[in-house]
């Protein structure tokens, strides 16, 4: 793995493989929880809240670990926890055990969130190149999703959902133990002494950078709302489509829908790649993605049958992942190497807080009122996030020293 281009290729290919496994696994799991485990809308939303609570508690400590000990080994830990959670979910079907496995799944992302971006940013050490690689990685994640939906869903159709879920979990463990453990880490310098005080200093510096920037605060606030919608919508739309009626097997229909969503997202990222380093492109991209997603979520709420509902899902689910791409690159450009993983972890804190607060509210509305009303609220949150970012200041502040 010599040379920056080789490292970039390794990073993109690893992202693709991870997406194949976890996106394919989730496509099967989301149907399994509805069709096989028979969990209602309120419990599906509460599972997402529990997952976010676990992630919220450990996110900043995991980011500090990545900034003081190792970005690479944080990723290995993530794979171990993620693969274990994926395996365990295939063995349970009751609400409480499923909640436990999903909380472990949420915890696993703490050790990857920020550490992956920080690792490739340090190893390449070239801001322009990093932005292009991150965009390529998100494209790879979407095309990997297509491969995962076809392979893991196909395996579930040929065998059964539980078997496919456990195979994907075992493969995730192998990916971390064999591939990620061999990543180089040449430019990162771990803290050898006084790690607690160094970790605390990094957290203070990262927090100061966030507080001092109107741009970063605006992104954090928008992330709070958008990810509250992402988590709830991802768990509710399969149930909503089943409720309004699907003409074919739900696993095949939702798998095919996921393929179309991912291909549309990859095409959209390909269009913006030449201009990804401009702050105006990042803002416009985020606002456009939120607006399209708001239309899709609202359309699903009022859809009278499966075909129109699926078209609405295509709009929403195709646009929502793009918001993460734009915010990740935007935040990465606003920070510096010494606190990079921690700032990304603080961004993830905003994400998890949104998933908890908005998830609880959406779960309550779905339980006490109706699912369409809950989806309409999701559409409103996306519209507010778009307006907030549209009016966020553009100058980049001087990084905290």
């Amino acid at each position: 793995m010599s040379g920056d281009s080789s490292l970039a290729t390794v990073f993109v290919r690893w992202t693709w493989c991870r997406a194949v496994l976890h996106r394919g696994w989730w496509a099967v799991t989301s149907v399994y929880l509805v069709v096989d485990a028979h969990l209602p809308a309120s419990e599906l939303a509460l599972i997402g809240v529990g997952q976010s609570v676990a992630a919220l508690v450990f996110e900043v400590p995991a980011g500090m670990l990545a900034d003081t000990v190792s970005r690479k080994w944080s990723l290995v830990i993530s794979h171990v926890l993620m693969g274990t959670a994926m395996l365990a979910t295939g063995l349970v079907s009751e609400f409480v055990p499923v909640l436990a496995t999903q909380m472990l799944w949420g915890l696993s992302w703490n050790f990857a969130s920020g550490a992956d971006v920080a690792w490739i940013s340090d190893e390449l050490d070239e801001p322009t190149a990093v932005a292009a690689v991150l965009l390529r990685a998100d494209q790879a994640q979407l095309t990997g999703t297509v491969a995962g939906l076809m392979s893991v869903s196909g395996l579930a159709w040929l065998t059964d959902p539980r078997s496919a879920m456990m195979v994907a979990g075992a493969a995730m463990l192998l990916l971390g133990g064999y591939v990620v453990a061999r990543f180089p880490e040449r430019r990162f310098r771990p803290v050898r002494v006084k790690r607690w005080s160094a970790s605390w200093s990094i957290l203070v510096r990262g927090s100061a950078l966030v507080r001092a920037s109107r741009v970063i605060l605006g992104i954090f606030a928008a992330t709070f709302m958008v990810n509250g919608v992402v988590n709830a919508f991802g768990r509710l739309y399969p149930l909503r489509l089943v409720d309004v009626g699907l003409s074919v097997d739900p696993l095949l229909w939702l798998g095919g829908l996921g393929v179309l969503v991912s291909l549309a997202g990859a095409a959209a990222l390909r269009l913006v790649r030449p201009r990804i380093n401009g702050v105006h492109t990042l803002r416009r991209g985020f606002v456009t993605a939120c607006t399209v997603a708001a239309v899709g979520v609202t359309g699903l709420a009022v859809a009278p049958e499966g075909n129109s509902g699926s078209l609405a899902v295509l709009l929403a689910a195709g646009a929502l992942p793009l918001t993460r791409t734009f915010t990740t690159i935007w935040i990465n450009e606003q920070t510096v190497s010494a606190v990079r993983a921690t700032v990304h972890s603080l961004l993830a804190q905003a994400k998890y807080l949104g998933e908890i607060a908005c998830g609880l509210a959406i779960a309550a509305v779905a339980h006490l009122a109706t699912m369409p009303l809950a989806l309409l609220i999701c559409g409103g949150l996306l519209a507010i996030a778009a307006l907030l970012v549209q009016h966020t200041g553009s100058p980049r502040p001087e990084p905290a020293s």
Side-chain angles (χ1 to χ4, degrees):
M1 285 187 278
S2 61
D4 288 352
S5 61
S6 177
L7 280 175
T9 300
V10 167
F11 181 75
V12 171
R13 288 178 178 175
W14 163 70
T15 301
W16 185 86
C17 291
R18 186 176 63 168
V20 169
L21 298 175
H22 86 82
R23 292 291 178 87
W25 173 85
W26 175 245
V28 174
T29 301
S30 63
V31 176
Y32 169 77
L33 296 179
V34 172
V35 176
D36 297 290
H38 304 291
L39 298 181
S42 57
E43 289 184 354
L44 291 172
L46 286 174
I47 286 172
V49 172
Q51 181 186 85
S52 299
V53 169
L56 177 67
V57 172
F58 292 98
E59 178 61 44
V60 170
M64 293 162 63
L65 176 72
D67 275 334
T68 56
V69 180
S70 171
R71 276 82 188 264
K72 177 181 76 172
W73 290 108
S74 291
L75 295 175
V76 173
I77 293 171
S78 172
H79 274 269
V80 171
L81 297 178
M82 191 181 303
T84 301
M86 292 163 69
L87 275 166
T89 304
L91 299 173
V92 298
S93 59
E94 299 297 322
F95 171 67
V96 173
V98 169
L99 176 62
T101 64
Q102 292 301 286
M103 290 178 74
L104 181 61
W105 166 264
L107 173 61
S108 73
W109 284 103
N110 290 154
F111 292 92
S113 147
D116 51 0
V117 176
W119 176 78
I120 193 61
S121 297
D122 280 353
E123 294 302 312
L124 294 181
D125 197 26
E126 175 55 53
T128 302
V130 170
V133 170
L134 292 177
L135 188 61
R136 285 176 54 200
D138 277 341
Q139 286 182 278
Q141 183 158 256
L142 291 168
T143 56
T145 298
V146 174
L149 290 171
M150 296 175 66
S151 58
V152 182
S153 296
L155 180 60
W157 185 71
L158 291 172
T159 57
D160 61 84
R162 287 184 167 183
S163 297
M165 292 156 65
M166 289 188 285
V167 167
M172 185 67 78
L173 289 170
L174 290 174
L175 181 63
Y178 181 72
V179 176
V180 181
R182 300 171 64 197
F183 280 4
E185 198 164 32
R186 298 170 299 195
R187 291 196 167 106
F188 175 74
R189 295 292 179 266
V191 177
R192 301 294 184 186
V193 295
K194 297 182 179 179
R195 280 179 174 165
W196 170 250
S197 60
S199 298
W200 181 254
S201 174
I202 288 172
L203 177 60
V204 170
R205 292 167 63 194
S207 300
L209 176 65
V210 172
R211 291 195 305 271
S213 172
R214 183 169 175 258
V215 173
I216 295 179
L217 288 174
I219 296 170
F220 273 43
T223 296
F224 174 88
M225 290 180 280
V226 170
N227 282 279
V229 172
V230 169
N231 196 44
F233 178 76
R235 296 173 186 279
L236 292 180
Y237 84 76
L239 181 57
R240 174 62 177 164
L241 289 179
V242 171
D243 285 346
V244 298
L246 294 177
S247 57
V248 298
D249 179 87
L251 184 62
L252 293 176
W253 185 269
L254 293 172
L257 190 61
V259 168
L260 293 176
V261 165
S262 300
L263 291 176
L269 288 177
R270 182 66 183 86
L271 289 175
V272 302
R273 185 196 291 182
R275 297 174 295 278
I276 195 60
N277 286 296
V279 65
H280 297 297
T281 299
L282 295 171
R283 178 185 289 104
R284 284 196 300 267
F286 184 90
V287 170
T288 301
C290 279
T291 302
V292 172
V295 171
V297 172
T298 302
L300 179 61
V302 299
E305 39 75 38
N307 291 333
S308 59
S310 297
L311 179 60
V313 169
L314 182 62
L315 286 175
L320 284 172
L322 304 183
T323 62
R324 175 186 174 276
T325 302
F326 295 123
T327 54
T328 298
I329 295 174
W330 205 348
I331 288 294
N332 208 54
E333 292 180 352
Q334 297 286 321
T335 187
V336 292
S337 176
V339 296
R340 182 167 279 123
T342 297
V343 172
H344 279 287
S345 289
L346 291 171
L347 176 66
Q349 288 280 70
K351 165 188 168 183
Y352 296 132
L353 284 170
E355 290 175 353
I356 293 168
C358 299
L360 284 172
I362 292 166
V365 172
H367 179 68
L368 299 174
T370 64
M371 190 190 304
L373 179 58
L375 290 170
L376 288 173
I377 292 173
C378 290
L381 288 172
L382 290 170
I384 294 171
L387 290 172
L388 177 64
V389 169
Q390 180 63 41
H391 293 91
T392 295
S394 61
R396 173 180 170 173
E398 291 296 324
S401 59

